[in-house]
Amino acid sequence: MELILETLGLAESAQLLSLSPPGWGANLLRGLANSLQIAFGAFGFGLLIGLFGACGKLYGGPVVRDLLAIYTTVIRAVPELVLILILYYVGTDLINKLASMMGYGRVEISGIVAGIWVLGIVQGAYSTEVLRGAIQAVPKGQIEAARAFGMPAFMTMRRVTIPAMMSFATPGLANLWLIATKDTALLAIVGFSELTLETRQAASSTRAYFTFFLAAGALYLLVTLFSGLIFGWIEKWARRGQPSLKGGR
Amino acid sequence: MTLRSLMQPHRIVLMLLFTALVLWCAFSLRWDWIPKYAPLALEGLWTTIWILLVTTFLGFLLAVPLGLAQAIGPWYLSVPARTFCTIIRGTPLLLQIWLLYYGLGSLFPQFPWIRSSELWPYLRQAWPYAVLALTLSYAGYEGEVMRGAFSGVNKGQLEAAKAFGMPRFTMFRRVWLPQAIRNVLPTLGGETILQLKATPLVATITIVEIYSVSSRVRADTFIVYEPLLLLAVSYMLIAGIITLAFRRFENKVPS
C-alpha cells in the first residue's frame, strides 16, 4: 500500500490526511459529522415547516395563504448567505432578549442549533412548495373518501394524504436534502466549524490546498452519491403497488 | 395579478401593515451611513451584475456542448460530461471557489513561465477565479437541464429538417437548439436566479461586490440589520427583474 502511494507521489498527501494527529483527517471527519448533523436537523425542521406550510397554502384562509406566499417568495429570492446572517442575528437577539426578560444573562448559542434554525427556515420555504405540489397530485377522491368515512383531519393526513403523496414528493425532497448538505458549507462564513471551514483551516496551515479541498470535495461527493442510492430505495418503497410507468403505455 | 384581486379587504389590511412596517423601518432605524457608502455600494452592485451576466452567458455556452454530449454523444464524450455535471452538482460551490482560488492561486506562482507571461497581472487578481468557478458551476447545473432539453425535442422536427437536406450544423442551429431552449426557458430563469444567489459567495475571495459592501458597513459602523435588510431588498429587486425579463422573453417566443 505504502509502496503504491510512494510511486504515485501521494505519500505526502496520505500523511496529511491521516487520522492520527500530524494528519488532519480526523478534523475533516469531525467537520463532516457536524455538517451531516446540521443537514439532518435542518432537513427535518424544514420538512415540518413545509408540511404545515403546504397545508396552510392548500386549506388555509386567505390571510394565511398570502402570508405563506410572501414567506416562500422572499426566502427563494434572497441569497442563502444573506438569509443565514439575518436569521442568525435575529435568532440570537431574540433569545438574548427573552433570556434577559426572564432574568438570565447572555446566552451562548451552540453553532449546531443556530445552523439548524437558520437552514431549517430556508429549507422550509422550498419544502412547502415541494409538498404542496405533491399533495395536489394526490387524487381528490382518495381524500374525499377518507372524509366520507368520518376520519378526522389529522388522521386523514397521517393515513391517506402523506402515504399517497410520498411517491410524488420523494424526488423533490431528495433534491432538497442535497441542497441542505451543500448549504451547510455556507455556515463556514459565519464561523461554524463544519467540513468546509475545517478544510480551509487545514489547507491554510499546511499550504496543501489541493490535497485538502479535493479530499473534502470527495467527501461531499460520497455523501451525494450515497444519498442518491438511499433516496432511490425510498422512492421505490413509496411507489410500491403503483403501476410501473415504463410498461404502462 | 389584477387590480381587482389586490383590492380584497384582507389584502388591503396586509398592505397597510406592510406600509406601516416600511415607514417604521425608514424612520426608526439608522440610515445615516447610506450617503457615505453609496458610491461603494453602486460599484458593488455593478460588480454583482456583470459577474452574473458574464458567468451565465459563458456558462450557457459551455452547457450546450455538455448537454449535447450527454444526450447523443458517444460514450467517450458522454461519460466525461456526466462526470463533470455530477461533480459540480455534488459539491458545494463555496468549496469549488476556494479550491480554484487558493489551490490554483498557490500553484501558479511556482511556474516561472506563468509569472513572466502577459496573463500574470490578471491571474494575480481574484475575479478570474470567481468568473471561472461560477461559470463552471452554472455550466454543470445547466448541462443537466440542456441534456433533457435536447432529448425532449420532437424527433419528427429533426427528421423534417433532414428531409429538407439541411446540413447537420444548420439543422442544429435553426431547428434543434431553438426548440430545446424554448422548452427550458422557465428552468433557465430559475437557474439564473440561483446563479444570482450564488454571487455573494465570491465575496469570500476578496471581490468587492454588493454583499461585501454590506459586510463592510457592518464591520465599520456596528449597524447590523439595516445593511442586511437593504441588501436583501436589492437582491429581491434583481431577482424580480430577472423573472420579468424571462417572462417577457417567454411571451415573445411562439409556443
Side-chain angles (χ1 to χ4, degrees):
Chain A
M1 183 70 188
E2 272 169 30
L3 200 73
I4 299 171
L5 288 174
E6 201 77 56
T7 46
L8 286 174
L10 288 173
E12 205 183 337
S13 302
Q15 206 170 22
L16 283 171
L17 287 173
S18 81
L19 291 175
S20 47
W24 294 77
N27 287 38
L28 292 198
L29 287 186
R30 201 169 49 226
L32 179 66
N34 276 340
S35 289
L36 285 182
Q37 230 173 329
I38 291 190
F40 261 120
F43 185 66
F45 184 36
L47 219 51
L48 202 68
I49 297 179
L51 204 53
F52 282 107
C55 288
K57 266 200 166 179
L58 288 173
Y59 310 120
V63 179
V64 174
R65 249 183 292 173
D66 278 7
L67 287 179
L68 282 170
I70 292 173
Y71 164 64
T72 51
T73 316
V74 167
I75 295 277
R76 291 189 301 164
V78 177
E80 282 82 358
L81 191 54
V82 180
L83 286 174
I84 284 173
L85 283 178
I86 294 180
L87 289 172
Y88 183 77
Y89 286 120
V90 169
T92 43
D93 261 14
L94 275 183
I95 287 187
N96 275 320
K97 276 209 178 109
L98 268 180
S100 64
M101 261 202 303
M102 293 195 295
Y104 300 106
R106 278 188 74 82
V107 183
E108 218 31 64
I109 293 158
S110 91
I112 291 194
V113 175
I116 289 178
W117 144 260
V118 163
L119 287 184
I121 296 215
V122 177
Q123 286 268 313
Y126 290 89
S127 49
T128 298
E129 293 295 314
V130 169
L131 293 180
R132 185 182 63 119
I135 292 179
Q136 262 178 334
V138 174
K140 259 217 169 76
Q142 300 195 4
I143 297 171
E144 279 165 8
R147 275 203 199 129
F149 273 105
M151 277 195 197
F154 184 70
M155 195 194 261
T156 313
M157 196 79 210
R158 188 168 57 89
R159 304 233 318 228
V160 179
T161 317
I162 292 181
M165 77 171 190
M166 273 301 278
S167 62
F168 301 112
T170 327
L173 292 181
N175 232 345
L176 275 183
W177 161 251
L178 293 184
I179 292 176
T181 53
K182 285 184 286 169
D183 272 359
T184 54
L186 299 179
L187 294 173
I189 292 169
V190 291
F192 179 69
S193 65
E194 44 65 68
L195 181 52
T196 304
L197 191 63
E198 292 277 4
T199 308
R200 192 183 165 181
Q201 279 162 354
S204 54
S205 49
T206 57
R207 304 252 140 220
Y209 290 104
F210 271 113
T211 309
F212 282 112
F213 282 129
L214 288 179
L219 284 180
Y220 277 115
L221 207 57
L222 270 182
V223 172
T224 305
L225 296 177
F226 189 63
S227 329
L229 214 63
I230 291 191
F231 272 103
W233 287 339
I234 294 180
E235 193 175 337
K236 212 168 150 193
W237 168 81
R239 279 199 193 287
R240 72 203 181 285
Q242 286 184 9
S244 161
L245 287 176
K246 271 180 198 154
R249 268 188 292 187
Chain B
M1 196 179 278
T2 55
L3 193 67
R4 199 185 171 82
S5 75
L6 276 179
M7 283 298 138
Q8 290 164 23
H10 76 276
R11 286 212 166 120
I12 294 176
V13 173
L14 280 181
M15 276 190 284
L16 285 178
L17 280 176
F18 182 71
T19 325
L21 189 71
V22 169
L23 286 177
W24 178 81
C25 282
F27 287 110
S28 72
L29 295 179
R30 284 185 55 190
W31 301 105
D32 51 321
W33 46 272
I34 288 185
K36 193 178 157 202
Y37 287 96
L40 195 63
L42 283 181
E43 218 170 282
L45 190 65
W46 169 238
T47 312
T48 299
I49 289 173
W50 81 252
I51 286 189
L52 176 69
L53 290 178
V54 167
T55 56
T56 39
F57 180 69
L58 292 179
F60 185 74
L61 286 188
L62 202 55
V64 170
L66 276 174
L68 210 55
Q70 290 186 67
I72 51 155
W75 64 269
Y76 52 85
L77 288 179
S78 70
V79 170
R82 197 170 312 140
T83 315
F84 174 78
C85 287
T86 311
I87 289 176
I88 291 287
R89 283 151 39 99
T91 52
L93 178 57
L94 187 63
L95 195 77
Q96 296 163 15
I97 293 177
W98 285 355
L99 171 72
L100 289 177
Y101 181 65
Y102 294 111
L104 287 183
S106 68
L107 190 69
F108 282 157
Q110 291 168 9
F111 298 102
W113 61 271
I114 293 184
R115 292 184 70 118
S116 57
S117 76
E118 281 169 21
L119 281 174
W120 181 241
Y122 298 103
L123 290 178
R124 280 173 58 191
Q125 294 169 6
W127 65 263
Y129 303 100
V131 168
L132 180 63
L134 286 177
T135 303
L136 290 182
S137 153
Y138 191 77
Y141 283 91
E142 213 52 62
E144 200 71 22
V145 174
M146 289 313 286
R147 175 186 62 90
F150 280 127
S151 16
V153 171
N154 199 339
K155 284 276 165 324
Q157 301 268 354
L158 302 180
E159 280 160 11
K162 213 176 271 173
F164 273 110
M166 273 194 194
R168 278 173 71 178
F169 185 71
T170 315
M171 184 174 92
F172 175 72
R173 186 169 57 87
R174 305 228 335 220
V175 180
W176 207 2
L177 186 63
Q179 294 201 35
I181 292 179
R182 190 191 70 192
N183 289 343
V184 290
L185 263 185
T187 326
L188 277 182
E191 292 286 336
T192 308
I193 289 181
L194 286 183
Q195 182 77 351
L196 166 72
K197 296 190 339 184
T199 54
L201 292 180
V202 303
T204 57
I205 57 169
T206 69
I207 289 178
V208 184
E209 43 79 79
I210 186 160
Y211 169 81
S212 62
V213 173
S214 100
S215 313
R216 197 155 130 199
V217 174
R218 203 170 68 238
D220 286 356
T221 61
F222 299 110
I223 301 173
V224 173
Y225 290 114
E226 289 84 343
L228 281 175
L229 280 179
L230 204 59
L231 185 65
V233 169
S234 47
Y235 276 117
M236 274 190 269
L237 283 181
I238 303 178
I241 292 172
I242 294 175
T243 315
L244 283 183
F246 267 93
R247 194 170 298 164
R248 261 189 82 167
F249 201 51
E250 275 167 46
N251 287 340
K252 267 202 184 138
V253 294
S255 55

